[in-house]
Amino acid sequence: MTHHAEQLGRARTAAEFAAVIALLDIDLNDALRCRAELAEAEDRAVFGDGDLAAARAVLDDCNDHIALLEKTIDAAGKRRAEVARSEARADIAALGDEIKARAATLGERWRSVQRLVEQLRQELFEADALARTIATANGLFDAAGVTELKANLTTTRRAAMAGPRAAAPARLSRPALQADRLLLSFLSPGGALDPRPALGAPVDSVKSKFIPAVTSFGERG
């Protein structure tokens, strides 16, 4: 008990209290087995096999030891529960600090998104103005019979937007997935800026007879 008492005195965490309680439980189980043996020795002494007074004295000592162990285990268990609650509160407080920091970082990310979206819009406006200027010039080249001077808007745009695409994270929220698809539609053939179907896509021949095609961003066919 002296060794266990020292361990309990040094224990500070719930895990340390649990470790000492486990050792006390082992001692208690040993003491309970010993008490059963001492009770049998007392019974034999009652019938003249042994010193009854000595047997009862040892049994009383064993019972006292068991009572002390049980009391110590109960007190250690209560202390462990208190420490566990304190640790849980500390963990929650630490999590709150972490989430507060993450929220600040999230705000910075959203500000970056806002800045990039505005930059994207400005680039789209300027690209559209250039495309309309080129489309007008293409019309003049057609009228003048110098079609070799025309610039192919679709080819230019698709070549400029070709390249590798970053893979979306495995765990992406539904709104983020929808936003990602929208952004990719600006880059993909047949997307938001390219109403022409992607290469190899089926074409509805009936609709194509009656619906004039929009040939490219900034150009009508």
Side-chain angles (χ1 to χ4, degrees), residues 12-57:
R12 293 294 180 271
T13 67
E16 291 172 344
F17 277 104
V20 180
I21 290 172
L23 296 175
L24 289 170
D25 282 335
I26 293 174
D27 286 356
L28 178 60
N29 290 331
D30 291 341
L32 291 173
R33 284 192 295 270
C34 182
R35 182 172 66 178
E37 295 172 358
L38 292 175
E40 292 176 358
E42 181 190 31
D43 290 341
R44 291 193 299 271
V46 169
F47 295 99
D49 183 9
D51 186 335
L52 179 59
R56 284 179 174 173

Side-chain angles (χ1 to χ4, degrees), residues 103-149:
T105 302
L106 177 61
E108 294 174 2
R109 292 288 186 180
W110 283 127
R111 282 190 289 274
S112 178
V113 169
Q114 187 272 343
R115 175 176 53 80
L116 292 173
V117 168
E118 286 302 315
Q119 182 180 343
L120 172 62
R121 293 180 69 224
Q122 187 61 41
E123 293 291 341
L124 286 173
F125 298 156
E126 294 179 5
D128 182 69
L130 286 171
R132 284 185 285 107
T133 299
I134 294 172
T136 300
N138 283 344
L140 295 175
F141 296 148
D142 276 331
V146 286
T147 57
E148 68 276 7
L149 298 179

Side-chain angles (χ1 to χ4, degrees), residues 41-101:
E42 181 190 31
D43 290 341
R44 291 193 299 271
V46 169
F47 295 99
D49 183 9
D51 186 335
L52 179 59
R56 284 179 174 173
V58 174
L59 181 58
D60 288 342
D61 288 343
C62 183
N63 284 329
D64 290 342
H65 184 59
I66 289 173
L68 179 59
L69 283 170
E70 290 175 338
K71 182 178 179 180
T72 304
I73 290 172
D74 181 64
K78 292 178 180 178
R79 180 59 181 152
R80 185 198 66 78
E82 293 174 0
V83 172
R85 287 192 292 270
S86 177
E87 290 174 345
R89 288 192 296 269
D91 290 342
I92 290 296
L95 180 60
D97 292 339
E98 179 185 351
I99 293 304
K100 186 180 297 183

